[in-house]
């Protein structure tokens, strides 16, 4: 006696096994993706890499066109356009810092009103800067100092000789200097700057790197004697605000705009980039035809011309008062164990 198989029996099992087969096939397909690094033949590897690169480029262009079309459609309908994607960078994903300055921080404004730079920034005292060197000077040291003298107005150079730094601080205080800059050199190359606020401090020690003098800058300009404009960028924390005001106290607060000189201290990831430019206006002639008549139209285009020098600073220590290696109290000291994260910044 035989058994009759119903029509629907086993269909579900077949479909289930078929689904399992498809999923296992897709999984194996993902695992069997060939990467260019897996190909030993150089010609084949370069072809596969170029193909993948082209596919990514085409896909990126499709996304851009779709986003532009969505924005255009939203504008036609009077709706809000979709939000633009902001790429993640180390700067905008930095770790949260409690010391970041806020516009409503009354304690910060009280500290600003009572700090050592207030008399200079309120124009009660004119900045007067003394620049000197370490005891063992180098060949590039004098060239760097001569360019600093052309950058900082009302600055004077004094040879160090064998004098102790504390005696130089006393001398500069008696002569009514407001700041003292010491250029330290190592292996015939300037490698550090020590800036001392007079007469009560503070003292900042910076590591100096990537120095490029004016003569080594291509198509450089020559600065004039006009007082420059000062640009301080991205000093956002309490410590950064204090360092920025320290730099601000080196320059007169009333720039002469006729000289078109700009001095920039740009902070990025706790590295302070120094640049010295002058902006110039160039007139360019362009031919233009109007109703069959040829004419010449003049257009004025502004551009920047670098005057030099160019260097990078990194804050090492910030000390209360004038220079004192033994009994000095430090506001901030950079230590290697502080560099535990790439997204932690202090300025």
């Amino acid at each position: 006696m035989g058994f009759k198989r119903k029509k629907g029996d086993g269909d579900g099992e077949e479909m289930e096994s078929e689904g399992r087969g498809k999923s296992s096939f897709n999984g194996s397909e993902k695992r069997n993706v060939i990467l260019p690094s897996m190909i030993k033949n150089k010609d084949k590897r370069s072809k596969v890499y170029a193909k993948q690169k082209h596919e990514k480029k085409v896909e990126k262009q499709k996304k851009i066109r779709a986003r532009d079309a969505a924005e255009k459609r939203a504008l036609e309908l009077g709706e809000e356009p979709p939000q633009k994607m902001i790429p993640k960078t180390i700067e905008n994903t930095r770790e949260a810092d409690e010391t970041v300055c806020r516009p409503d921080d009354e304690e910060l404004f009280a500290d600003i009103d009572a700090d050592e730079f207030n008399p200079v920034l309120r124009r009660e005292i004119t900045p007067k800067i003394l620049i000197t060197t370490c005891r063992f000077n180098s060949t590039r040291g004098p060239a760097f100092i001569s360019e600093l003298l052309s950058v900082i107005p009302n600055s004077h150079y004094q040879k160090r000789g064998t004098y102790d730094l504390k005696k130089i601080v006393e001398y500069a205080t008696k002569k009514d200097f407001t700041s003292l800059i010491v250029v330290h050199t190592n292996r015939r190359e300037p490698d550090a700057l020590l800036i001392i606020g007079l007469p009560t401090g503070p003292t900042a020690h910076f590591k100096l790197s990537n120095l490029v003098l004016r003569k080594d800058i291509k198509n450089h300009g020559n600065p004039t004697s006009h007082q420059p404009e000062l640009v301080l960028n991205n000093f956002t924390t309490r410590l950064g605000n204090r360092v920025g005001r320290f730099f601000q106290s080196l320059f007169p607060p009333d720039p002469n705009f006729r000289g078109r000189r700009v001095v920039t201290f740009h902070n990025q990831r706790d590295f302070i980039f120094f640049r010295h430019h002058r902006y110039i206006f160039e007139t360019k002639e362009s031919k233009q035809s109007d109703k069959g008549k040829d004419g010449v139209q003049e257009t004025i285009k502004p551009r920047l011309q670098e005057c030099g020098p160019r260097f990078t600073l990194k804050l090492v220590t910030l000390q209360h008062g004038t220079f004192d290696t033994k009994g000095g109290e430090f506001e901030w000291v950079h230590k290697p164990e502080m560099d535990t994260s790439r997204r932690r910044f202090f300025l």
Side-chain angles (χ1 to χ4, degrees):
M1 185 177 178
F3 293 93
K4 290 184 179 180
R5 185 172 179 239
K6 292 183 180 180
K7 190 176 181 181
D9 291 350
D11 289 350
E13 294 178 2
E14 289 177 5
M15 290 174 68
E16 189 178 348
S17 63
E18 188 179 349
R20 281 200 301 267
K22 283 183 179 179
S23 63
S24 62
F25 177 74
N26 290 334
S28 62
E29 193 178 33
K30 288 179 181 177
R31 286 195 296 270
N32 293 333
V33 172
I34 299 175
L35 299 174
S37 58
M38 299 165 60
I39 302 172
K40 293 183 179 180
N41 189 292
K42 186 177 179 181
D43 294 334
K44 290 183 178 179
R45 185 171 63 245
S46 60
K47 287 180 181 179
V48 171
Y49 174 74
K51 185 180 178 182
Q52 291 182 357
K53 189 176 179 182
H54 177 70
E55 289 174 354
K56 286 182 181 179
K57 187 178 179 181
V58 170
E59 188 177 354
K60 187 177 179 181
Q61 289 175 351
K62 284 182 180 178
K63 288 181 180 179
I64 292 171
R65 283 195 292 268
R67 188 174 66 243
D68 293 343
E71 287 181 4
K72 188 177 179 181
R73 196 182 309 113
L75 289 172
E76 289 176 355
L77 297 173
E79 300 175 354
E80 291 186 1
Q83 291 183 352
K84 291 185 177 180
M85 300 294 289
I86 301 174
K88 289 185 178 180
T89 61
I90 292 179
E91 283 80 8
N92 61 23
T93 58
R94 64 180 292 179
E95 291 184 3
D97 193 350
E98 296 178 354
T99 64
V100 172
C101 300
R102 299 187 307 274
D104 58 345
D105 194 346
E106 296 179 359
E107 186 180 350
L108 174 64
F109 291 113
D111 291 341
I112 288 175
D113 291 336
D115 68 3
E116 304 92 337
F117 318 118
N118 214 23
V120 175
L121 300 182
R122 283 189 173 181
R123 306 183 184 185
E124 298 173 4
I125 303 174
T126 303
K128 187 179 178 183
I129 316 301
L130 178 64
I131 302 177
T132 187
T133 62
C134 61
R135 287 181 176 176
F136 304 100
N137 200 4
S138 67
T139 52
R140 291 191 78 193
F144 177 50
I145 288 172
S146 66
E147 295 192 8
L148 281 181
L149 292 171
S150 66
V151 170
I152 305 174
N154 200 18
S155 56
H156 308 270
Y157 170 66
Q158 187 72 33
K159 285 186 178 181
R160 172 73 178 269
T162 57
Y163 290 103
D164 190 55
L165 190 56
K166 289 185 179 181
K167 292 184 178 179
I168 295 176
V169 169
E170 293 176 1
Y171 167 80
T173 306
K174 290 179 181 178
K175 295 292 183 179
D176 296 328
F177 284 97
T178 58
S179 295
L180 170 65
I181 299 177
V182 182
V183 180
H184 185 269
T185 57
N186 185 22
R187 296 181 180 178
R188 300 183 180 180
E189 186 73 21
D191 69 334
L193 281 184
L194 188 69
I195 306 177
I196 304 172
L198 301 175
T200 58
T203 301
H205 177 212
F206 295 94
K207 179 184 176 183
L208 175 68
S209 59
N210 301 329
L211 173 63
V212 181
L213 298 177
R214 184 180 301 136
K215 63 183 180 62
D216 299 323
I217 297 175
K218 188 178 180 181
N219 298 326
H220 66 83
N222 295 317
T224 60
S225 59
H226 298 84
Q227 294 181 0
E229 304 172 50
L230 184 64
V231 177
L232 300 171
N233 190 21
N234 207 23
F235 293 90
T236 56
T237 63
R238 289 282 189 91
L239 178 64
N241 180 69
R242 189 157 172 77
V243 172
R245 285 176 65 82
F246 203 169
F247 289 135
Q248 194 176 356
S249 67
L250 300 176
F251 294 85
D254 47 349
N256 192 338
F257 296 102
R258 291 183 65 87
R260 305 193 303 275
R261 291 178 60 197
V262 183
V263 172
T264 306
F265 290 92
H266 173 74
N267 172 44
Q268 186 172 0
R269 304 179 190 179
D270 287 348
F271 288 94
I272 303 169
F273 298 94
F274 175 87
R275 296 293 184 270
H276 179 207
H277 294 92
R278 62 188 295 264
Y279 49 93
I280 58 179
F281 299 97
E282 293 181 340
T283 57
K284 292 187 177 181
E285 296 181 352
S286 58
K287 291 184 179 179
Q288 192 176 30
S289 59
D290 186 16
K291 295 181 180 180
K293 296 180 180 179
D294 294 336
V296 177
Q297 185 180 7
E298 290 186 352
T299 56
I300 299 174
K301 292 187 177 181
R303 71 176 182 89
L304 289 176
Q305 185 180 33
E306 191 169 359
C307 299
R310 178 197 305 170
F311 56 87
T312 306
L313 298 174
K314 174 85 171 177
L315 182 64
V316 180
T317 61
L318 185 64
Q319 181 182 350
H320 279 295
T322 55
F323 179 75
D324 190 359
T325 54
K326 295 181 179 179
E329 180 185 354
F330 288 90
E331 296 183 41
W332 187 84
V333 179
H334 179 264
K335 297 178 182 178
E337 54 265 25
M338 298 166 73
D339 299 331
T340 55
S341 174
R342 292 179 62 199
R343 289 176 170 80
R344 180 189 292 178
F345 308 121
F346 301 98
L347 298 182

